[in-house]
Amino acid sequence: MQQTPFTIDADFDLSEAAAPWSRAHGADVAVRRGAVPLSLPRPESRGVAWQHAAGRTLILTPCGVRFLVEGGSTIRYALDGCASLADLRLFFLGTALSVLTAQRGLLPLKASAVANGEDVHALVGMPMRGKSASAAALAARGYPFFADDLLILDAKGLDAEARCYRCDDLKVWPQALALADCESLGPVRGTSKYRKLYAMPRQRAARVSGRLRTIVYLASFKKGDASGDRHSTHLERLSGRKKVETVMTTIHSRPITIAVVGRLPLFQWVMALSRRVEMLGLTRPEIPTVFGAGVNRIAALLSAAESGTVQTRKGTAP
Amino acid sequence: MTRAHPVSGQRRIAWLASYPRSGNTWTRLLLANFLSAAAEPVGVNDIGSAMFSALYHGRPWFDSVAGISSSDCTEDEAESLRPAVVRFWAQEAKREETPLFCKSHEAYRDTPAGEPLFPDDVTVGAVYLVRNPLDVAVSWAFYLDEGFSHSVAYLNARTSRIGGAGSQELRQRLFDWSGHVESWTGAPFPVLTVRYEDLLADTVGWLGKIASFLRLDGASDHRRLEQAVAHSAFARLQENEDREGFHMRGRYSRTPFFRSGVAGDGRRHLSAAQVRDVLAAHGATMARFGYSCRATG
């Protein structure tokens, strides 16, 4: 059985986590350094850092790495100015791979994830809600770390089950290292102005794919919860329109993905995903002193989700 | 009175700017209630949807408009991209006549790339709220759940900033309180400077001036202004926050976001030495805006 939905032949070293995707010959996707234009003629849609036209997507990162992603099978990149290999790797395994997966009919989610056997649980939420740190902390509580930043879903197979894949290493902010109980593996980018670190979680899932079982939406505020004690957690099961809207907000590189896939097909993918996967919203205080208690609540929640005994109620972090 | 530019083309951003804890959120609620003109008040958690506004420092807004993740960028890279992000937001907006409102606590200044962070070419104008720094220091301390000495030092430091790497907000450089005030009152586009204390004393009158400055329909409709002010009454906001919480409350704060709202809190809470520190650093700017610079009373 094929482990990954496609294979990659890149002319630079991908990360260790992406090794299962690599193939030296006969790969589905070729990644090569080459000429990348600064703009596309007659773009069908565009944003501040990207343009899309006729199956080609141009990505212009602020650090000087440019990608041209074409037809789901070719990525050309160029490095301007001070852009480093580390910068290339970060944006390749994030934005560029996300666009490529969308071009290939896969659904890119911005999520961290942990695994339990074949089951994968994704953590999603707005930026800086502690997705990566929570996934790392869960790895010290019996849920091996599975994915960070990009979780790739097989959208075509969603009628059967939500099959998902991982490809990148864990990245955390320095202040989260101790909280997440993981070890630094060095800086993510080639500049001291960027502080995020690659990190080694306590346990890593050996598998590169799994069945997406649960999506946990992490939030810091819930309208209507005015307790103000800064220690309460609140859990709710998301359903219907709220579930679909929430998943839509967790699409990786969302405006680009919408341009590549189209709003209606993307919505249909998300609808299909919503039918297959349980989605829970967890509101917790974002205070370092109660971070561990919040992660314990997520661990208990995942355990309950696996046994089908989730009870939505307000709780209190010790 | 100078008025903002009319909304036209991509020139459609109205900045709502202030040093933190100077009445910015209250002003947004006043404007949201004025623009909605509905019988029911706009909820404290619904400002954004009621008035089509953005937080200029918000990572979700930046990421959704830019298409790349701010957390993959250095602070300098993200900051240098922000003028392009707000330009794109202005270009893509479909509203024709009402400005797009953008809230900011940052000083008016250039990005690391040397471009104005608040680009003139998309700006209709700015409403700049200024508040007695003695009161700001007290409110800021309660918001942060820190001592008054901490907040006074914050107001007095040229390097003060909020947000940035590892935070839910992008980096915001504030300068010191005087530097913040001088930066905005010297901005190259039309700026209406509003003293918080004046807004408190004559809310209907000053809301009308703000609406007129921004060329909003109904700026002289007294009943509409009065309704917006009634819907935004401090006691109502406190009750609303008490009932359903408020997403902008300080992460560590043990007091409500809408805590006091009164003028004159500074001299009631700060020590004589703390008052002297603020006056020494900001006396000249305070005098310019009519704030008493006497060390006592």
Side-chain angles (χ1 to χ4, degrees):
Chain A
M1 188 179 104
Q2 188 181 15
Q3 270 198 312
T4 57
F6 58 90
T7 51
I8 300 171
D9 170 15
D11 64 358
F12 64 95
D13 286 337
L14 298 176
S15 72
E16 185 189 328
W21 300 73
S22 292
R23 185 172 296 176
H25 305 287
D28 302 306
V29 179
V31 184
R32 297 285 184 270
R33 189 167 185 161
V36 177
L38 291 167
S39 63
L40 294 179
R42 295 177 297 285
E44 296 154 13
S45 51
R46 62 189 302 165
V48 172
W50 60 276
Q51 298 177 12
H52 179 76
R56 302 197 309 162
T57 311
L58 176 67
I59 302 164
L60 307 159
T61 74
C63 67
V65 183
R66 281 177 286 141
F67 297 97
L68 184 63
V69 188
E70 296 183 87
S73 60
T74 306
I75 298 182
R76 264 186 289 155
Y77 66 89
L79 306 180
D80 295 338
C82 303
S84 66
L85 179 62
D87 299 337
L88 168 65
R89 193 176 284 133
L90 173 68
F91 283 97
F92 174 78
L93 291 170
T95 312
L97 195 53
S98 163
V99 170
L100 179 86
T101 59
Q103 288 184 357
R104 294 184 67 88
L106 299 158
L107 178 60
L109 280 191
K110 189 154 184 70
S112 297
V114 294
N116 187 10
E118 170 73 2
D119 289 336
V120 172
H121 304 287
L123 306 176
V124 302
M126 292 288 125
M128 305 294 171
R129 289 292 189 264
K131 300 183 287 290
S132 302
S134 296
L138 284 165
R141 288 163 171 80
Y143 284 93
F145 170 81
F146 183 76
D148 193 36
D149 186 45
L150 176 61
L151 187 68
I152 298 170
L153 277 150
D154 184 350
K156 293 189 285 289
L158 286 179
D159 284 342
E161 62 177 21
R163 196 98 203 131
C164 62
Y165 304 87
R166 53 104 173 150
C167 58
D168 201 5
D169 294 306
L170 173 66
K171 302 176 285 293
V172 299
W173 296 99
Q175 62 267 34
L177 274 178
L179 283 176
D181 200 6
C182 54
E183 183 186 333
S184 170
L185 294 175
V188 168
R189 287 187 50 188
T191 167
S192 59
K193 289 185 171 182
Y194 187 78
R195 295 173 51 222
K196 233 173 178 180
L197 303 166
Y198 283 118
M200 173 65 80
R202 282 289 191 92
Q203 289 184 75
R204 286 166 65 157
R207 61 177 60 245
V208 72
S209 70
R211 178 181 61 223
L212 183 60
R213 178 80 183 249
T214 319
I215 297 177
V216 180
Y217 180 78
L218 300 175
S220 60
F221 171 78
K222 176 172 170 51
K223 187 174 171 180
D225 182 6
S227 61
D229 63 11
R230 314 272 88 185
H231 291 274
S232 64
T233 58
H234 188 281
L235 177 65
E236 63 179 326
R237 180 177 276 115
L238 303 182
S239 59
R241 182 179 165 184
K242 190 168 184 182
K243 188 176 183 181
V244 173
E245 285 176 351
T246 305
V247 176
M248 282 297 283
T249 67
T250 67
I251 304 292
H252 201 291
S253 308
R254 188 160 53 114
I256 316 180
T257 303
I258 290 172
V260 169
V261 176
R263 197 174 287 274
L264 183 60
L266 187 61
F267 183 74
Q268 288 166 339
W269 286 359
V270 169
M271 288 284 284
L273 174 65
S274 299
R275 283 195 294 269
R276 292 286 153 207
V277 176
E278 174 152 52
M279 185 157 194
L280 302 160
L282 181 69
T283 308
R284 58 177 182 171
E286 289 171 334
I287 301 173
T289 51
V290 297
F291 174 82
V295 174
N296 290 341
R297 185 90 204 271
I298 300 173
L301 177 63
L302 299 184
S303 174
E306 288 169 356
S307 60
T309 58
V310 174
Q311 292 186 329
T312 53
R313 62 183 170 81
K314 187 173 172 181
T316 302
Chain B
M1 180 176 76
T2 307
R3 295 180 79 192
H5 298 298
V7 171
S8 69
Q10 69 169 17
R11 190 185 284 281
R12 51 182 58 240
I13 304 294
W15 302 103
L16 299 176
S18 71
Y19 199 86
R21 309 303 291 169
S22 298
N24 200 318
T25 300
W26 182 41
T27 304
R28 290 172 73 217
L29 273 159
L30 285 164
L31 280 166
N33 277 305
F34 174 79
L35 290 166
S36 85
E40 288 299 309
V42 172
V44 293
N45 293 299
D46 303 319
I47 308 174
S49 54
M51 64 185 289
F52 206 69
S53 67
L55 305 177
Y56 196 34
H57 51 264
R59 283 188 190 274
W61 176 76
F62 176 99
D63 291 3
S64 67
V65 179
I68 59 170
S69 174
S70 58
S71 62
D72 287 344
C73 304
T74 66
E75 292 177 338
D76 283 356
E77 286 167 353
E79 193 169 300
S80 294
L81 209 54
R82 288 168 70 195
V85 169
V86 78
R87 270 193 195 96
F88 185 77
W89 190 59
Q91 283 167 1
E92 293 293 298
K94 297 292 185 280
R95 293 170 68 109
E96 294 299 323
E97 293 170 4
T98 307
L100 308 173
F101 293 93
C102 225
K103 171 183 175 169
S104 180
H105 286 316
E106 290 166 87
Y108 178 88
R109 60 190 167 77
D110 286 349
T111 68
E115 180 185 9
L117 179 61
F118 302 88
D120 185 14
D121 56 306
V122 294
T123 298
V124 297
V127 175
Y128 182 67
L129 292 144
V130 61
R131 185 183 189 185
N132 189 327
L134 297 171
D135 294 355
V136 171
V138 169
S139 185
W140 191 223
F142 277 110
Y143 179 85
L144 298 174
D145 197 25
E146 293 277 3
F148 297 134
S149 297
H150 176 92
S151 62
V152 166
Y154 211 94
L155 262 70
N156 292 355
R158 291 284 302 171
T159 54
S160 287
R161 50 177 275 180
I162 47 181
S167 157
Q168 290 169 12
E169 298 177 352
L170 297 168
R171 179 181 65 191
Q172 301 149 74
R173 288 182 166 141
L174 307 182
F175 299 166
D176 63 2
W177 180 84
S178 292
H180 195 281
V181 175
E182 301 298 340
S183 76
W184 272 103
T185 53
F189 39 69
V191 178
L192 176 68
T193 302
V194 180
R195 287 194 344 152
Y196 176 77
E197 295 76 9
D198 294 338
L199 185 63
L200 209 53
D202 178 14
T203 313
V204 170
W206 275 96
L207 178 58
K209 288 177 187 173
I210 292 169
S212 175
F213 169 76
L214 294 172
R215 301 172 183 267
L216 303 181
D217 287 343
S220 55
D221 182 340
H222 203 73
R223 284 184 61 182
R224 184 169 170 178
L225 292 166
E226 279 186 330
Q227 178 178 276
V229 172
H231 283 353
S232 314
F234 206 79
R236 190 187 284 269
L237 305 184
Q238 285 180 313
E239 185 274 326
N240 194 167
E241 181 180 7
D242 189 47
R243 181 167 27 89
E244 64 176 46
F246 185 36
H247 67 280
M248 294 184 73
R249 180 175 158 174
R251 187 192 297 194
Y252 297 99
S253 180
R254 286 178 291 185
T255 53
F257 183 92
F258 298 105
R259 184 189 60 87
S260 155
V262 300
D265 240 7
R267 290 187 187 272
R268 280 193 287 274
H269 286 279
L270 300 181
S271 70
Q274 288 162 345
V275 169
R276 276 198 304 273
D277 282 351
V278 173
L279 297 180
H282 308 299
T285 309
M286 288 174 70
R288 182 181 156 202
F289 287 91
Y291 296 123
S292 168
C293 297
R294 285 184 300 136
T296 55

